[in-house]
Amino acid sequence: MKISDKQIAQVNDRINALVTAGSFYGKKLKEAGITGISSAEEFEKLPFSEKSDLRDAYPLGLMTAPEEEIVRIHSSSGTTGLPVIIPYTAKDVDDWATMFKRCYEFAGITNKDRIQITPGYGLWTAGIGFQAGAEKLGAMVIPMGPGNTEKQLKMMVDMESTVICATSSYALLLAEEIEKRGIKDQIKLKKGVIGSERWGEKMRKRIHDELGIELYDIYGLTEIYGPGIGINCKYDTGMHIWDDFLYLEIIDPVTGKNVPDGEWGEIVITTLVKEGAPLIRYRTHDLSRIIPGECPCGSKFPRIDVIKGRTDDMMKIKGVNVFPSQIEEVIKTFPELSSEYQIRISHLEGKDTMRIYVETSGEYDFDALSKKVAESVKSRIGFTPIVKVVELGLLPRSEKKTKRVIDERYS
Ligand code: ZN
């Protein structure tokens, strides 16, 4: 998937806007003597943008449109140090809602649907993105925000919500609560739009089975508008990405070179029409791949695979590179286990130790099961972890992102 001539013209327009505004990246481009590009090869030589740069631009260094045109900011929470502030113009806000409306349409959601939104509102891009797209579609929004499961379920029943928007872990929590209360026959949900968290096939299946709904994965990140820049269609062959607003590349995270379509690597995104804070070649650190060929739905929007993990989730244990997705794939092969897990890495008596906590119901022999899981993980990653089997429901589920890897070596 090469950058098109139209996209090259859009990139040049954004480079020009950045340099003219003299914003953080404008200055960088000017110093590097970059005034524009004329080919895909030249595009692939443009410097990357990194989250650490965005922090350096704190608070408003990214602002590229005149201040009187900025209508809103959003912020992504940094786990370390300063947050990133992204300014939006009215057009950016509207473009984002247009993209999000398209997401709902690809999921077959219409203005007759009632959309219950559980992601948070505020500095976060989550809740408000789901809401603006739904309003543009003309659907009825039930803007719950996160938490208060009691009230969520009451509104879900009374308002006869047909669509739930949630993180995967919160959708699972709601599914479990519905099951527990035996109110499934009062629930009118048909579809779930699930975002902002990587989730395995097993978890997806559980939510699907327990709620009996179609599930759609939404992609996005605060630095690039927010959630809603892509979604899978009903054929479920990967997420379509809106390439009239964004250009997406997949690179080798180590060499920084583009990889051929179909190969896994890191997603890099360039905003083509963003005004408030345009980004050129932003490294997302999300791992995915371009899915070659055409989707059976006939849409020409390119597709990426489900996000497999993050380049910075990579754990180096006993000198081996391990991704949480590898552990997840092993867990998936055990029908006795739930989809929840937790990995703890510690340094004991001079060596690295990996402990994996998994859940099962009381009907299985915990010791035998932990041995089997440990062997299976060893055959996958090359060394034997300590596997602890716990009772179903003991591992944390959260309304936001569930932290599944805890590295105790450096704390
Ligand atoms: Zn499709």
Side-chain angles (χ1 to χ4, degrees):
M1 203 181 67
K2 284 274 175 215
I3 191 164
S4 69
D5 289 346
K6 184 181 177 195
Q7 289 170 324
I8 288 177
Q10 288 173 313
V11 170
N12 281 332
D13 185 56
R14 291 303 83 204
I15 290 176
N16 186 37
L18 285 160
V19 173
T20 307
S23 58
F24 181 84
Y25 276 116
K27 283 186 196 133
K28 283 202 154 192
L29 289 166
K30 201 170 175 184
E31 277 164 25
I34 294 162
T35 50
I37 50 159
S38 55
S39 66
E41 291 66 39
E42 279 182 37
F43 176 77
E44 286 173 20
K45 286 189 189 126
L46 288 174
F48 292 116
S49 329
E50 289 278 1
K51 188 147 182 170
S52 55
D53 299 339
L54 272 48
R55 287 204 186 94
D56 291 344
Y58 184 86
L60 279 170
L62 296 176
M63 191 163 75
T64 298
E67 167 139 17
E68 54 271 31
E69 291 176 20
I70 301 296
V71 299
R72 188 199 289 173
I73 60 126
H74 280 292
S75 156
S76 69
S77 62
T79 39
T80 51
L82 292 169
V84 167
I85 304 284
I86 306 287
Y88 295 64
T89 65
K91 179 179 183 293
D92 294 337
V93 167
D94 192 58
D95 284 350
W96 181 20
T98 300
M99 283 188 274
F100 219 127
K101 172 176 178 258
R102 200 187 279 164
C103 287
Y104 287 126
E105 287 166 344
F106 265 62
I109 295 164
T110 72
N111 58 6
K112 292 201 177 118
D113 277 297
R114 299 179 179 183
I115 305 182
Q116 184 158 341
I117 297 172
T118 71
Y121 286 76
L123 280 171
W124 237 179
T125 48
I128 198 163
F130 281 92
Q131 170 143 359
E135 287 177 351
K136 213 175 185 65
L137 181 71
M140 185 198 292
V141 170
I142 304 153
M144 299 298 294
N148 202 342
T149 302
E150 206 64 49
K151 195 163 184 184
Q152 297 278 5
L153 295 178
K154 180 164 169 49
M155 290 302 269
M156 195 181 284
V157 169
D158 295 349
M159 298 309 300
E160 303 185 351
S161 309
T162 57
V163 176
I164 180 83
C165 300
T167 61
S168 53
S169 34
Y170 197 51
L172 179 62
L173 186 145
L174 288 173
E176 287 174 341
E177 287 299 320
I178 288 165
E179 176 79 24
K180 216 184 277 173
R181 288 157 209 236
I183 54 169
K184 200 172 161 187
D185 57 335
Q186 297 171 52
I187 301 290
K188 300 280 189 287
L189 289 181
K190 289 184 296 194
K191 286 169 186 183
V193 179
I194 308 296
S196 80
E197 201 182 22
R198 191 169 56 79
W199 52 321
E201 200 43 51
K202 192 159 184 170
M203 188 161 181
R204 190 188 172 97
K205 192 172 175 321
R206 267 186 76 196
I207 299 169
H208 169 84
D209 290 351
E210 290 192 16
L211 289 176
I213 58 176
E214 280 171 32
L215 294 172
Y216 292 88
D217 294 297
I218 207 153
Y219 183 57
L221 53 161
T222 299
E223 294 81 356
I224 313 283
Y225 296 98
I229 65 173
I231 195 167
N232 56 307
C233 66
K234 67 174 178 178
Y235 292 97
D236 203 12
T237 58
M239 296 182 282
H240 288 282
I241 296 290
W242 315 136
D243 68 347
D244 44 351
F245 291 91
L246 312 154
Y247 178 66
L248 185 144
E249 302 167 80
I250 304 287
I251 63 158
D252 178 319
V254 178
T255 66
K257 298 270 179 250
N258 276 250
V259 300
D261 286 359
E263 275 183 29
W264 290 88
E266 178 182 340
I267 300 173
V268 170
I269 298 175
T270 297
T271 64
L272 297 172
V273 292
K274 208 161 187 248
E275 298 177 334
L279 285 176
I280 308 282
R281 306 195 79 204
Y282 181 67
R283 291 188 67 158
T284 65
H285 294 277
D286 285 335
L287 294 170
S288 185
R289 64 182 188 115
I290 301 273
I291 296 179
E294 222 174 271
C295 183
C297 76
S299 164
K300 296 276 183 274
F301 287 112
R303 288 165 300 153
I304 58 168
D305 214 321
V306 183
I307 308 301
K308 200 183 190 178
R310 291 190 47 81
T311 57
D312 34 31
D313 277 345
M314 198 170 77
M315 307 169 273
K316 206 168 179 91
I317 309 163
K318 299 179 194 253
V320 179
N321 288 338
V322 180
F323 287 97
S325 56
Q326 295 175 301
I327 308 299
E328 215 163 89
E329 279 160 21
V330 170
I331 292 170
K332 228 166 35 186
T333 64
F334 287 88
E336 309 93 304
L337 300 178
S338 81
S339 53
E340 295 301 310
Y341 66 93
Q342 197 179 75
I343 299 170
R344 284 180 177 263
I345 308 156
S346 45
H347 195 74
L348 293 169
E349 292 159 6
K351 55 179 187 183
D352 290 342
T353 310
M354 177 162 80
R355 277 171 294 158
I356 304 172
Y357 293 83
V358 291
E359 289 182 340
T360 191
S361 65
E363 50 194 293
Y364 297 99
D365 177 346
F366 284 20
D367 285 343
L369 191 53
S370 72
K371 223 170 143 188
K372 262 167 59 188
V373 174
E375 279 164 13
S376 186
V377 171
K378 179 176 194 274
S379 69
R380 182 74 206 255
I381 62 173
F383 63 87
T384 312
I386 301 164
V387 175
K388 305 243 182 207
V389 180
V390 300
E391 281 286 344
L392 196 67
L394 270 187
L395 292 178
R397 282 132 170 90
S398 69
E399 285 152 12
K400 279 194 171 181
K401 300 185 186 192
T402 304
K403 192 168 168 52
R404 294 206 166 86
V405 179
I406 298 158
D407 196 336
E408 293 163 336
R409 288 176 297 184
Y410 313 109
S411 56

